[in-house]
Amino acid sequence: MSVAELKARHVAATETVNSLRERLQQKRLLLLDTDVVAVAGYAKAHGKSSVSFGATDLVCCRTLQGHTGKVYSLDWTPEKNRIVSASQDGRLIVWNALTSQKTHAIKLPCAWVMTCAFSPTGQFVACGGLDSVCSIFNLNSPSDKDGNLPESKMLSGHKGYVSSCQYVPDEDTHLITSSGDHTCVLWDITTGLRTSVFGGEFQSGHTADVLSVSINGSNSRMFVSGSCDSTARLWDTRVASRAVRTFHGHEGDVNTVKFFPDGNRFGTGSDDGTCRLFDIRTGHQLQEYYQQHSDDEVRHVTSIAFSISGRLLFAGYSNGDCYVWDTLLAQCIAGKIWPLFLKGNGKCTHMPFWLF
Amino acid sequence: MDDSLPSPGEPRREDQHRTPSPSTLLPKTQPSGFYGKHRLAAAISNLQNQINYLQEELDQLEEIGEASIVCKELISSVESIPDPLLPLSKGPTNINWDRWFKGAQNSRKRWI
């Protein structure tokens, strides 16, 4: 077959893909049998009223001071008593969240850190960033002669920056990373090797940088990823060759994804200024969370977290705002909360920089 | 804080703009076009896989329920879990949560 014929086939196949996607979208719209958009319409029709907060209902209960640069990521231990935070100042800090004391200040070999995570036992922390490596530190190790905590493992293999990492629940031995190389990777930390690569050149996966991952707390074989290709994808760790489902709808980079507490839904936040809630079994987009503003200020959603029941969605935006959404009624019930220390279901939103 | 340093967020914008379209995957100097043919064939194979997945999803949509069924389940799930951040929540007082709120300006938490 000639190149010209192949090109023609490529064009035809692309048209078929686009046409099928449109049919899917139309079909899904037909299945949204509730008023407005899904959840909010259904909830209102069934007499649910919005959560309302008084002026003093959300209060700052802790302020953790110590970083000297922007905080890009933080993570709780499963016991919800310690936090690890990663900052542009080139350090990881481990905090006793109850007392606000620092227990470790780890100087990183590469200052451009983008993500950090606590291991399930709380013994290890992981971080990654522009060095394309995920570094593991054992918090019980002695410091070296310069007083620095040495890396206990380096997970190398990504061909782009490490944007996000999360340990597989109940195991200190496996974690999942997302990367600017368009892939997610499941790592065996003991050997330092990649167990599975999700997406990539020869497989069906994201077609642009992957910015975020979230592992299902109810079924650790499932995780979702969010990407600059404007989609979120659901993966089964046993099947690396293709995503279980691809979720379209966003009109910009999907910067953040987070599983809903019940494990059957997940939330997303995007450069298009919206957060969305998707159902993993049906693929339906259940709700969109967006507030129109009269000014031209750009408001990308950079970070989200759900409260422990899922009733509240906390969203951090690129202009420094943090809004609280009632997930069922899709109403913004508190906005521009600062300073704010959020304790959700084990995860916090990206901390506004003016806390430090 | 030093805002003059480049933000780690910047690379992804550049990478996105540099993502090649299929036509730019063809190398410029290949008299026979052999290498280009392989790339095109791989891209077509990828598209065919996507067509299959999309068709599968369309077929599945015939079987799955409407959104209202999922909404009902979602509401039920949310309302069944006690939540310390809500003004009103079901469940007994949890002392593990209360230790976070000591020293807060009011104790308006109400458990029902």
Side-chain angles (χ1 to χ4, degrees), chain A residues 13 24 27 30 39 46 50 79 84 107 134 138 141 198 221 223 241 273 311 325:
Chain A
L24 256 177
K27 190 89 197 221
L30 283 175
V39 174
H46 288 77
S50 182
E79 295 78 32
V84 61
K107 189 168 173 219
C134 187
N138 183 339
S141 288
F198 304 91
R221 282 202 303 265
F223 70 94
S241 55
R311 184 65 192 259
W325 293 90

Side-chain angles (χ1 to χ4, degrees), chain A residues 204-316:
Chain A
S204 170
H206 283 296
T207 54
D209 300 12
V210 191
L211 302 177
S212 181
V213 286
S214 175
I215 302 175
N216 190 336
S218 309
N219 176 359
S220 57
R221 282 202 303 265
M222 308 294 283
F223 70 94
V224 289
S225 56
S227 165
C228 288
D229 65 14
S230 306
T231 70
R233 288 175 206 239
L234 176 69
W235 301 89
D236 182 326
T237 55
R238 298 166 297 181
V239 182
S241 55
R242 59 170 282 198
V244 173
R245 196 186 292 285
T246 301
F247 299 83
H248 296 273
H250 277 298
E251 294 167 3
D253 298 358
V254 178
N255 297 313
T256 178
V257 291
K258 207 60 54 98
F259 255 102
F260 200 72
D262 69 3
N264 291 319
R265 273 129 312 245
F266 67 91
T268 55
S270 165
D271 271 4
D272 65 11
T274 70
C275 300
R276 296 176 197 230
L277 185 68
F278 292 95
D279 182 78
I280 64 170
R281 288 168 306 176
T282 60
H284 287 322
Q285 178 184 301
L286 297 181
Q287 192 59 57
E288 183 179 308
Y289 307 93
Y290 176 67
Q291 189 158 54
Q292 194 73 29
H293 295 272
S294 53
D295 57 35
D296 292 330
E297 191 178 19
V298 165
R299 289 175 177 82
H300 300 155
V301 181
T302 55
S303 182
I304 59 169
F306 289 105
S307 68
I308 201 168
S309 67
R311 184 65 192 259
L312 304 177
L313 166 65
F314 294 87

Side-chain angles (χ1 to χ4, degrees), chain A residues 27 161 253 281 307 309, chain B residues 12-13 62 68 73 83 106:
Chain A
K27 190 89 197 221
Y161 60 89
D253 298 358
R281 288 168 306 176
S307 68
S309 67
Chain B
R12 69 174 187 263
R13 305 276 185 259
E62 302 292 332
S68 54
E73 187 193 273
D83 191 331
N106 62 29

Side-chain angles (χ1 to χ4, degrees), chain A residues 33-327:
Chain A
D33 57 329
T34 63
D35 261 343
V36 192
V37 184
V39 174
Y42 184 93
K44 278 178 198 146
H46 288 77
K48 302 297 173 190
S49 52
S50 182
V51 173
S52 92
F53 282 133
T56 56
D57 274 343
L58 277 180
V59 295
C60 175
C61 49
R62 301 291 186 282
T63 301
L64 305 182
Q65 292 176 319
H67 279 300
T68 56
K70 287 185 184 178
V71 177
Y72 276 95
S73 179
L74 61 87
D75 191 27
W76 293 83
T77 50
E79 295 78 32
K80 306 188 187 18
N81 54 6
R82 286 187 296 154
I83 290 173
V84 61
S85 57
S87 164
Q88 196 183 60
D89 64 13
R91 287 181 192 275
L92 294 185
I93 296 182
V94 180
W95 315 78
N96 178 321
L98 202 52
T99 63
S100 307
Q101 301 278 327
K102 300 184 230 349
T103 61
H104 298 77
I106 304 168
K107 189 168 173 219
L108 297 172
C110 172
W112 303 117
V113 63
M114 296 173 73
T115 181
C116 62
F118 241 123
S119 73
T121 63
Q123 186 180 343
F124 300 92
V125 291
C127 67
L130 289 189
D131 57 356
S132 306
V133 168
C134 187
S135 302
I136 312 291
F137 296 90
N138 183 339
L139 297 178
N140 296 336
S141 288
S143 302
D144 64 20
K145 56 180 171 52
D146 300 320
N148 295 323
L149 194 64
E151 284 161 309
S152 69
K153 207 81 188 183
M154 287 177 61
L155 306 176
S156 305
H158 273 303
K159 300 187 186 96
Y161 60 89
V162 175
S163 51
S164 181
C165 64
Q166 187 180 350
Y167 274 86
V168 176
D170 304 323
E171 303 175 35
D172 271 11
T173 53
H174 290 85
L175 63 76
I176 295 178
T177 52
S178 62
S179 171
D181 67 9
H182 306 188
T183 70
C184 297
V185 171
L186 170 66
W187 299 88
D188 180 331
I189 299 171
T190 315
T191 59
L193 299 176
R194 292 171 287 187
T195 302
S196 300
V197 179
F198 304 91
E201 197 175 356
F202 301 110
Q203 297 181 92
S204 170
H206 283 296
T207 54
D209 300 12
V210 191
L211 302 177
S212 181
V213 286
S214 175
I215 302 175
N216 190 336
S218 309
N219 176 359
S220 57
R221 282 202 303 265
M222 308 294 283
F223 70 94
V224 289
S225 56
S227 165
C228 288
D229 65 14
S230 306
T231 70
R233 288 175 206 239
L234 176 69
W235 301 89
D236 182 326
T237 55
R238 298 166 297 181
V239 182
S241 55
R242 59 170 282 198
V244 173
R245 196 186 292 285
T246 301
F247 299 83
H248 296 273
H250 277 298
E251 294 167 3
D253 298 358
V254 178
N255 297 313
T256 178
V257 291
K258 207 60 54 98
F259 255 102
F260 200 72
D262 69 3
N264 291 319
R265 273 129 312 245
F266 67 91
T268 55
S270 165
D271 271 4
D272 65 11
T274 70
C275 300
R276 296 176 197 230
L277 185 68
F278 292 95
D279 182 78
I280 64 170
R281 288 168 306 176
T282 60
H284 287 322
Q285 178 184 301
L286 297 181
Q287 192 59 57
E288 183 179 308
Y289 307 93
Y290 176 67
Q291 189 158 54
Q292 194 73 29
H293 295 272
S294 53
D295 57 35
D296 292 330
E297 191 178 19
V298 165
R299 289 175 177 82
H300 300 155
V301 181
T302 55
S303 182
I304 59 169
F306 289 105
S307 68
I308 201 168
S309 67
R311 184 65 192 259
L312 304 177
L313 166 65
F314 294 87
Y317 296 78
S318 53
N319 67 342
D321 287 347
C322 180
Y323 288 167
V324 185
W325 293 90
D326 179 330
T327 53

Side-chain angles (χ1 to χ4, degrees), chain A residues 1 3 6-7 10 14 17 20-21 23-24 27-28 31-33 38-39 42 48 51-53 56-57 59 61-62 70 72 80 88 97-98 112 114 161 201 204 207 209 211 228 242 253 255 260 262 265 271 279 281-282 284 286 307-309 311-312 343 353, chain B residues 1-3 5-8 11-13 15-16 19 22 26 33 37 39-40 43-44 47 50-51 53-58 60-62 64-68 70-75 77-79 81-87 97 99-100 104-106 108-109:
Chain A
M1 203 175 285
V3 167
L6 282 171
K7 280 188 182 176
H10 188 276
T14 305
V17 164
L20 280 169
R21 281 212 182 120
R23 273 176 62 193
L24 256 177
K27 190 89 197 221
R28 284 202 180 277
L31 288 169
L32 288 178
D33 57 329
V39 174
Y42 184 93
K48 302 297 173 190
V51 173
S52 92
F53 282 133
T56 56
D57 274 343
V59 295
C61 49
R62 301 291 186 282
K70 287 185 184 178
Y72 276 95
K80 306 188 187 18
Q88 196 183 60
L98 202 52
W112 303 117
M114 296 173 73
Y161 60 89
E201 197 175 356
S204 170
T207 54
D209 300 12
L211 302 177
C228 288
R242 59 170 282 198
D253 298 358
N255 297 313
F260 200 72
D262 69 3
R265 273 129 312 245
D271 271 4
D279 182 78
R281 288 168 306 176
T282 60
H284 287 322
L286 297 181
S307 68
I308 201 168
S309 67
R311 184 65 192 259
L312 304 177
K343 182 181 184 301
F353 72 88
Chain B
M1 276 143 300
D2 187 351
D3 287 329
L5 291 168
S7 159
R12 69 174 187 263
R13 305 276 185 259
D15 285 350
Q16 188 182 11
T19 302
L26 297 172
K37 272 189 184 177
R39 281 279 188 179
L40 263 177
I44 290 167
L47 282 169
Q50 285 186 54
I51 289 168
Y53 301 152
L54 286 166
Q55 192 57 60
E56 263 177 44
E57 197 175 333
L58 262 173
Q60 280 167 12
L61 275 184
E62 302 292 332
I64 64 166
E66 289 150 334
S68 54
V70 178
C71 292
K72 183 178 174 186
E73 187 193 273
L74 169 64
I75 290 171
S77 149
V78 167
E79 290 186 333
I81 302 173
D83 191 331
L85 289 179
L86 293 177
W97 289 337
R99 60 187 175 150
W100 293 98
Q105 289 170 18
N106 62 29
R108 83 299 179 271
K109 295 281 174 260

